[in-house]
């Protein structure tokens, strides 16, 4: 979420400049970013250190990033993004950078002055070990996701001006989320086991992105068509996205329980047309027929090719088909995808095939 917000702001400033608004507002300039994780390296690798044998100085990642941005004399924004946990060691060494001096002091007695176009950005999970001085210098404001909830994110998504749908349809989709998401989140939290920890807003965002990839991209439905027919299709798509967005990160033995819960939950919605052939995990939404169909219908037949190395061969199955399908949908929106699972289940092979 932090990455998304930062990317939107950077792209917005760049686009405003390209459209000529930079002449009126000086802050509308292109944005150039450098991203690093300070916690993933040692202090020497971050700031720089002397070689104890030769006493030769070598810049660290942060020192190199600052030096390169200082040498850029354009008026463009330069963002040095520290994407990682706040640590008392590395953050305290940036005090002179964060105060009014804006000076990076290195262990070799060198000082690098940052100009007004350089900005230090911090994307952190929490402020558990950050001192009050660090918080005040960075202007950090931490809002617990439990207090914020997922609805502000969804309100922004629903209001996207690129979505060419009627107000009636927009309200219908919002009501579907507002009615069915919370019960699913509570059921998963209390009764099921996740493959890896995931905050609720991330799950809801996945539901929204899957929905967007199926409705607002090439091959999607006509959003100006008869609302009665359109809403039936959108409700079915929503049910599929809800199952995968919230239930896609569950241990395999929990899938049947969640599928049964979703079916019972959506039974009071006449617009949702679920498949009678099996669980929702076993189906996809056929946009041509406007209904759920089994993955078997789009699972390709295996064709042996002698020129392909043995360990690169992949025999198509329902699992490879559906996971590849999900990955394609998210990648079509330029969204990152994380496959989880034990060794040898084909995560790397599926990614390479796509």
């Amino acid at each position: 979420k932090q990455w998304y917000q930062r990317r939107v702001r950077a792209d917005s400033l760049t686009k405003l400049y390209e459209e000529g608004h930079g002449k009126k507002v000086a802050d509308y300039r292109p944005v150039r970013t450098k991203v690093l994780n300070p916690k993933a390296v040692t202090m020497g690798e971050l700031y720089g250190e002397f070689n104890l044998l030769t006493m030769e100085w070598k810049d660290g990642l942060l020192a190199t990033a600052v030096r390169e941005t200082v040498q850029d004399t354009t008026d463009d924004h330069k963002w040095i993004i520290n994407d990682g946990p706040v640590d008392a060691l590395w953050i305290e060494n940036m005090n002179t950078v964060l105060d009014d001096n804006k000076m990076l002091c290195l262990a070799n007695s060198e000082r690098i002055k940052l100009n007004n176009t350089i900005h230090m950005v911090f994307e952190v999970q929490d402020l558990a070990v950050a001192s009050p001085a660090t918080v005040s210098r960075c202007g950090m404001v931490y809002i617990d996701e439990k207090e914020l909830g997922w609805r502000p994110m969804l309100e922004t998504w629903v209001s996207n001006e690129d979505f060419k749908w009627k107000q009636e349809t927009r309200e219908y989709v919002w009501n579907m989320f507002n009615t069915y998401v919370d019960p699913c989140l509570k059921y998963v939290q209390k009764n099921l086991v996740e493959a890896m920890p995931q905050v609720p807003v991330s799950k809801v965002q996945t539901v929204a992105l899957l929905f967007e990839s199926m409705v607002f991209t090439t091959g999607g439905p006509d959003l100006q068509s008869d609302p009665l027919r359109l809403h039936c299709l959108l409700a079915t798509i929503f049910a599929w996205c809800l199952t995968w967005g919230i239930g896609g990160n569950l241990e395999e033995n929990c899938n049947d329980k969640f599928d049964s819960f979703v079916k019972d939950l959506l039974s009071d919605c006449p617009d949702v047309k679920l498949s009678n052939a099996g669980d929702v995990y076993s189906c996809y939404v056929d946009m041509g027929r406007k209904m759920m169909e089994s993955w078997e219908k789009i699972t390709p037949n295996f064709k042996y090719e002698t020129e392909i190395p043995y360990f690169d061969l992949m025999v198509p199955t329902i699992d490879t088909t559906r996971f590849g399908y999900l990955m394609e949908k998210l990648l079509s929106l330029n969204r990152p995808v994380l496959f989880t699972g034990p060794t040898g289940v084909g995560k790397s092979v599926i990614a390479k095939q796509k």
Side-chain angles (χ1 to χ4, degrees):
K1 185 175 178 61
Q2 291 175 332
W3 173 89
Y4 175 74
Q5 293 172 339
R6 180 244 302 170
R7 181 69 180 271
V8 168
R9 178 170 175 79
D11 290 347
S12 299
L13 290 172
T14 302
K15 187 174 182 179
L16 287 169
Y17 173 78
E18 293 173 349
E19 293 178 352
H21 299 289
K23 297 179 181 179
K24 300 179 181 179
V25 182
D27 193 46
Y28 294 163
R29 308 292 301 178
V31 178
R32 305 181 185 182
T33 61
K34 292 182 181 294
V35 184
L36 56 94
N37 183 352
K39 188 66 174 177
V41 295
T42 65
M43 293 291 290
E45 292 170 334
L46 180 63
Y47 289 101
E49 59 187 347
F50 284 104
N51 186 317
L52 297 180
L53 297 178
T54 63
M55 294 306 295
E56 180 182 1
W57 172 261
K58 183 178 181 180
D59 279 340
L61 295 176
L62 182 63
T64 301
V66 171
R67 198 183 300 277
E68 290 177 353
T69 52
V70 168
Q71 292 174 354
D72 184 349
T73 58
T74 65
D75 292 333
D76 297 346
H77 293 296
K78 298 99 177 177
W79 292 0
I80 300 177
I81 300 162
N82 298 274
D83 185 2
V86 171
D87 182 272
L89 294 177
W90 71 262
I91 194 68
E92 292 299 331
N93 287 335
M94 296 187 67
N95 284 342
T96 56
V97 176
L98 301 177
D99 61 21
D100 294 338
N101 294 326
K102 297 188 70 173
M103 189 88 67
L104 177 63
C105 300
L106 303 177
N108 64 346
S109 300
E110 183 179 4
R111 296 182 178 183
I112 304 177
K113 176 71 174 178
L114 280 67
N115 57 48
N116 293 330
T117 64
I118 301 176
H119 307 277
M120 305 297 294
V121 181
F122 298 88
E123 296 182 353
V124 303
Q125 180 178 354
D126 56 53
L127 302 177
V129 297
S131 66
T134 299
V135 174
S136 62
R137 283 191 175 97
C138 297
M140 293 180 182
V141 178
Y142 176 70
I143 302 177
D144 194 299
E145 58 88 17
K146 294 180 181 178
E147 301 295 334
L148 189 62
W150 54 267
R151 284 179 174 81
M153 179 277 298
L154 190 69
E155 288 176 358
T156 302
W157 176 80
V158 169
S159 303
N160 191 330
E161 294 182 355
D162 293 334
F163 298 167
K164 307 301 181 182
W165 53 3
K166 299 178 181 178
Q167 181 64 26
E168 177 184 359
T169 302
R170 179 179 302 178
E171 293 176 355
Y172 178 82
V173 172
W174 167 258
N175 289 332
M176 292 291 290
F177 274 88
N178 197 44
T179 303
Y180 298 111
V181 165
D182 275 335
C184 290
L185 293 174
K186 292 177 181 178
Y187 181 78
V188 169
Q189 182 181 11
K190 293 182 179 180
N191 302 284
L192 305 179
V193 180
E194 295 178 327
M196 62 181 296
Q198 186 181 16
V199 295
V201 67
S202 175
K203 298 175 185 178
V204 181
Q205 186 178 42
T206 303
V207 177
L209 291 175
L210 288 173
F211 188 90
E212 179 181 344
S213 69
M214 300 180 68
V215 175
F216 300 106
T217 57
T218 304
D222 181 7
L223 297 175
Q224 304 303 318
S225 61
D226 178 29
L228 293 178
R229 295 184 177 181
L230 175 62
H231 292 177
C232 286
L233 176 58
L234 295 183
T236 302
I237 294 174
F238 171 79
W240 185 86
C241 296
L242 182 71
T243 303
W244 278 106
I246 297 180
N249 184 31
L250 298 176
E251 294 286 351
E252 189 173 358
N253 57 4
C254 296
N255 288 348
D256 290 340
K257 296 179 181 179
F258 185 69
D259 176 76
S260 299
F261 175 81
V262 171
K263 287 182 176 179
D264 291 340
L265 181 67
L266 296 174
S267 61
D268 64 346
C269 181
D271 291 343
V272 176
K273 308 299 182 183
L274 299 178
S275 173
N276 296 323
D279 57 42
V280 181
Y281 290 103
S282 302
C283 303
Y284 74 102
V285 180
D286 188 328
M287 302 302 290
R289 301 187 62 185
K290 297 181 174 56
M291 60 185 296
M292 287 192 181
E293 296 284 0
S294 172
W295 288 111
E296 294 177 352
K297 293 194 174 183
I298 59 173
T299 301
N301 296 322
F302 174 68
K303 182 180 179 181
Y304 177 69
E305 299 181 18
T306 56
E307 64 273 12
I308 299 179
Y310 175 79
F311 291 102
D312 290 339
L313 289 174
M314 184 178 71
V315 179
T317 64
I318 290 179
D319 283 338
T320 61
T321 301
R322 59 185 176 184
F323 293 136
Y325 182 89
L326 288 165
M327 184 174 70
E328 285 182 345
K329 289 299 181 183
L330 292 173
L331 291 180
S332 68
L333 302 177
N334 295 320
R335 299 294 179 175
V337 181
L338 175 63
F339 281 144
T340 61
T343 303
V345 297
K347 302 186 294 296
S348 300
V349 175
I350 294 175
K352 289 180 181 178
Q353 291 291 330
K354 298 301 179 180

